[in-house]
Amino acid sequence: MMALEELPTDLPPPVDDGGADHLLNRQLPTMELAATTGGTIDVAEVGAPWAVLYVYPMTGRPDRDLPADWEMIPGARGCTPQTCSFRDHQAELSDLGAEIYGISVQSTEYQAEMVERLHVEFPVLADPAMKLGRALDLPTMEAGGMTLYKRLTMIVRGGRVEHVMYPVFPPDRNAADVVEWLRNRIAPKADARASWNERYEAAAALYGAEPNQFIAAELSGLSPRRVLDLGCGQGRNSVWLAAQGHQVTGLDISDVGIAHGNELAAAVGVGVDFRAVDVVNDWEPDEEYDVVILSYLQLPQDMRRRAHAKAITALAPGGTLVLVAHHTDNLEQGVGGPPMPEVLFSESELAEDFAELDIKRNKKVLRDVEREGELRVAHDILVRAIKRS
Ligand SMILES: C[S@@+](CC[C@H](N)C(=O)[O-])C[C@H]1O[C@@H](n2cnc3c(N)ncnc32)[C@H](O)[C@@H]1O
């Protein structure tokens, strides 16, 4: 008999029956499952910050026969090589911030024999009652009179499923595939300028030509001021502010966005000092402004703090800062916006960033959005703050 660690080369590949289509973006439920590392683990709490949950049908045991025709069932064979592949990539995954969890319907006692024999150090969770399967509607298969989970791998961040691999084939390559996916996902977007240029090349007014509704509501009726628009994009807010009589500077990393801003300003018949610059890395405030706006400049924590500190520096004493952005809750409850939690903002983060200002407003605001003929709601966050004189 072939060793369980080895994988036959002629296994029938499983097909995607759509059984995992619903899992993307699902929040893992609170559920304690017994673990081979001792005690129980709450599935909702896994991750550091990533978790890889690989769900598998059944590992064999050297002293017991596998169900009849096991190798003929697409997707059945290969649980041991898959587990070995995660064992061998555990250090690499840990460096990427990911914890590994195996899950199957066998008992902890059954799984314990496997982890000892294979020297597996990460927890394998037992779900004989298929509690997780019911909560998440996981796909199952019948074999040898048993109901087993079909093999799938979920990559989870903050309790939310960010990526699903299904079917998983061949199983012994699964851990390497997860490493590759995580590397690409975590790698800083190499070139923000190139990616924003690409988006703007495809759409001359990606966010429309009208100002953002909250910016307009917060700043209409002001007597002429010096205004700075950080991350001005294609200039919809800058041009509207210039049309209100303000002297406006608009800065954005995308030269394509800036070119579109100039075109919009010319079409409306106003002048805006648009400049293409990376406001996080290549710009220092050299003038004072009465108003600084930030409209959906969504950056990860470190860059966000730097951009916000510069916004504060650029404000004249008594000046007003207005920020609107996608709220953290938008991911679960709203529509549109980036799907990455690390670039969404919460009230507490913004309270910290702007602590030295006199914060007048820091709250969630809702925005109606039409999607495919339906009215949906986006969850934004609005800050209005004054620099103390
Ligand atoms: C979601 S768009 C919003 C554009 C505009 N404020 C609006 O509301 O229409 C975000 C903008 O931030 C710009 N951006 C991203 N990183 C930047 C950086 N480091 N420096 C300057 N602009 C940046 C992008 O080019 C993009 O135009």
Side-chain angles (χ1 to χ4, degrees):
M1 196 176 81
M2 185 177 242
L4 289 164
E5 290 88 338
E6 290 169 38
L7 205 58
T9 50
D10 55 352
L11 289 176
V15 292
D16 186 356
D17 57 5
D21 286 356
H22 60 290
L23 291 174
L24 196 65
N25 288 327
R26 281 286 292 268
Q27 203 70 27
L28 294 183
T30 294
M31 183 174 291
E32 300 280 345
L33 293 178
T36 49
T37 43
T40 61
I41 285 177
D42 182 352
V43 176
E45 298 293 322
V46 298
W50 296 90
V52 181
L53 276 81
Y54 75 95
V55 182
Y56 63 87
M58 177 183 188
T59 47
R61 282 174 68 147
D63 59 341
R64 294 192 199 170
D65 287 335
L66 279 161
D69 291 333
W70 187 240
E71 297 196 352
M72 304 307 291
I73 306 170
R77 176 77 156 89
C79 300
T80 301
Q82 183 187 23
T83 296
C84 291
S85 85
F86 277 109
R87 174 199 64 197
D88 297 343
H89 284 84
Q90 187 173 2
E92 221 173 331
L93 284 164
S94 171
D95 287 347
L96 290 165
E99 290 172 342
I100 307 166
Y101 300 84
I103 304 181
S104 73
V105 299
Q106 290 84 51
S107 66
T108 304
E109 188 200 359
Y110 188 99
Q111 294 171 338
E113 181 278 329
M114 184 267 297
V115 298
E116 195 175 325
R117 174 166 44 88
L118 302 178
H119 309 290
V120 169
E121 287 175 8
F122 56 79
V124 177
L125 308 178
D127 189 14
M130 300 188 111
K131 288 194 295 179
L132 189 67
R134 270 201 299 280
L136 291 179
D137 197 13
L138 296 178
T140 59
M141 58 195 259
E142 304 294 323
M146 297 174 285
T147 303
L148 304 170
Y149 285 137
K150 283 191 173 177
R151 189 186 317 284
L152 65 85
T153 298
M154 292 180 276
I155 305 182
V156 173
R157 184 180 160 105
R160 193 180 64 88
V161 179
E162 250 204 61
H163 187 64
V164 184
M165 294 173 168
Y166 180 82
V168 173
F169 194 78
D172 59 346
R173 218 181 53 206
N174 190 203
D177 289 344
V178 170
V179 167
E180 190 188 337
W181 185 89
L182 267 177
R183 281 229 171 89
N184 288 333
R185 168 64 181 77
I186 291 168
K189 291 291 161 266
D191 196 343
R193 177 174 287 115
S195 67
W196 278 104
N197 276 349
E198 201 178 310
R199 296 182 73 183
Y200 289 149
E201 264 154 16
L206 189 58
Y207 303 107
E210 297 301 318
N212 168 261
Q213 67 187 76
F214 304 115
I215 296 287
E218 291 292 322
L219 296 175
S220 56
L222 272 187
S223 58
R225 308 282 158 97
R226 296 163 298 174
V227 182
L228 175 65
D229 182 358
L230 284 179
C232 63
Q234 294 162 300
R236 59 176 178 150
N237 296 315
S238 290
V239 168
W240 176 80
L241 285 159
Q244 307 296 300
H246 303 295
Q247 182 189 323
V248 185
T249 300
L251 307 180
D252 198 281
I253 198 168
S254 163
D255 47 296
V256 176
I258 290 298
H260 289 159
N262 278 318
E263 285 165 22
L264 183 62
V268 173
V270 295
V272 173
D273 177 16
F274 279 123
R275 291 181 232 156
V277 65
D278 177 341
V279 301
V280 179
N281 299 305
D282 302 330
W283 172 79
E284 291 303 330
D286 51 358
E287 281 175 55
E288 286 193 333
Y289 296 87
D290 307 305
V291 176
V292 174
I293 68 164
L294 300 113
S295 171
Y296 306 94
L297 178 60
Q298 312 282 162
L299 300 168
Q301 180 175 285
D302 177 53
M303 290 166 79
R304 185 199 81 220
R305 286 183 177 152
R306 282 155 65 197
H308 291 177
K310 290 183 185 192
I312 295 172
T313 306
L315 265 183
T320 301
L321 176 136
V322 177
L323 174 146
V324 60
H326 300 287
H327 194 284
T328 312
D329 290 349
N330 197 57
L331 204 57
E332 289 294 315
Q333 301 166 22
V335 63
M340 294 92 80
E342 60 274 21
V343 300
L344 303 176
F345 300 170
S346 66
E347 287 87 341
S348 57
E349 287 165 339
L350 297 184
E352 219 175 279
D353 288 1
F354 298 119
E356 70 181 83
L357 302 182
D358 185 5
I359 298 179
K360 301 290 184 194
R361 274 195 263 300
N362 179 6
K363 61 173 187 182
K364 189 196 268 198
V365 285
L366 302 178
R367 180 168 44 89
D368 289 339
V369 179
E370 206 192 298
R371 279 289 148 93
E372 289 153 10
E374 260 184 56
L375 203 58
R376 306 278 302 277
V377 175
H379 292 238
D380 287 349
I381 187 162
L382 173 69
V383 169
R384 185 184 180 105
I386 311 288
K387 188 161 179 174
R388 298 185 182 105
S389 301

